[in-house]
Amino acid sequence: MNKFPNDLLTGYSAFRNGSFAIEQQRYFDLAEHGQTPATLLIACCDSRVSPEVIFQTKPGELFVIRNVANLVPPHKPDNECHSTSAALEYAVSVLKVQNIVVMGHGGCGGIAAAIDAQLNGAIGGEFIDHWIELLKPSITGTLSHKDLAGAKLQSHAEKDSIIRSIENLRTFPIVTEAEKSGAITLHGAWFEVKSGELSILDRDSGKFIEP
Ligand SMILES: [Zn+2]
């Protein structure tokens, strides 16, 4: 048998004897009755930005989609495999979540790669290049601000892409219908890894502010 990563086994043991033991009834109920999470959270794959850790949620509370650079592609039903759109559809149509949060983060490698690709050409890979093409409008817009450089340029692109992902959410008829009826609210958030600070997209000003 292949050797399973030891750190994962150690963590699992702590979980099984610790938080699982404490919350056994919750797990039992969730298994018996299914999940009813109130929020769909779309986050980056980045190992530093685990939504369940940042928001201290319990099992069953958060339905999470994680992909490179926390992107929502536009509604495009065709014969391709759309993992993010499929999970979004499930969350809205079946689970009937009440909130969708797109959460970006500081120092996002996907955003950095997209900036690099736009400035210096494609970065290669069979899938990444095409995926981060979704970021093109954000990167083009950000690069047009000539006063931006370094970390400020990067965070501007990170935040702009969150706004564009929310716009893309609204290209899904099921999302716009739910939003129109008041059944769902769309949110943006940005997490700074270094400081642990979260800022929230203010709908009126379009700016990210402290909650
Ligand atoms: Zn990232």
Side-chain angles (χ1 to χ4, degrees):
M1 195 171 100
N2 290 338
K3 198 173 179 311
F4 202 76
N6 211 35
D7 52 344
L8 296 187
L9 289 176
T10 306
Y12 167 66
S13 176
F15 159 74
R16 194 70 202 280
N17 299 314
S19 58
F20 181 81
I22 294 163
E23 299 203 87
Q24 200 159 2
Q25 187 62 45
R26 171 185 285 273
Y27 280 95
F28 182 83
D29 291 342
L30 285 167
E32 284 288 299
H33 307 298
Q35 57 171 335
T36 51
T39 299
L40 159 64
L41 198 140
I42 300 164
C44 183
C45 296
D46 194 301
S47 60
R48 302 165 294 179
V49 295
S50 172
E52 295 88 343
V53 173
I54 293 168
F55 296 101
Q56 295 284 286
T57 54
K58 293 187 164 66
E61 290 181 343
L62 209 54
F63 191 78
V64 177
I65 301 172
R66 295 181 76 168
N67 63 40
V68 170
N70 43 268
L71 299 174
V72 177
H75 178 254
K76 194 180 163 208
D78 53 28
N79 286 328
E80 302 300 318
C81 292
H82 295 285
S83 69
T84 294
S85 304
L88 169 67
E89 181 176 65
Y90 184 72
V92 175
S93 299
V94 180
L95 298 176
K96 306 213 179 294
V97 294
Q98 294 137 46
N99 305 288
I100 302 179
V101 179
V102 179
M103 183 179 77
H105 70 98
C108 181
I111 303 280
I115 294 170
D116 194 38
Q118 200 134 327
L119 291 174
N120 306 311
I123 57 164
E126 289 182 301
F127 302 102
I128 294 263
D129 275 355
H130 184 53
W131 178 249
I132 61 176
E133 272 178 20
L134 286 169
L135 285 162
K136 236 178 194 166
S138 286
I139 307 299
T140 303
T142 298
L143 290 173
S144 72
H145 295 278
K146 297 297 177 204
D147 53 323
L148 293 174
K152 279 198 173 143
L153 183 130
Q154 163 101 13
S155 65
H156 185 282
E158 286 160 357
K159 290 171 181 172
D160 189 81
S161 80
I162 294 165
I163 294 167
R164 287 180 197 271
S165 276
I166 293 173
E167 286 170 7
N168 282 347
L169 280 172
R170 295 194 172 110
T171 65
F172 287 77
I174 50 167
V175 174
T176 42
E177 275 166 33
E179 194 181 26
K180 213 180 279 173
S181 72
I184 217 168
T185 312
L186 310 184
H187 309 270
W190 181 79
F191 178 71
E192 175 58 273
V193 175
K194 201 180 279 178
S195 66
E197 284 171 344
L198 185 81
S199 41
I200 308 289
L201 176 62
D202 177 55
R203 194 191 295 236
D204 299 327
S205 66
K207 301 223 176 306
F208 284 78
I209 56 173
E210 298 288 312

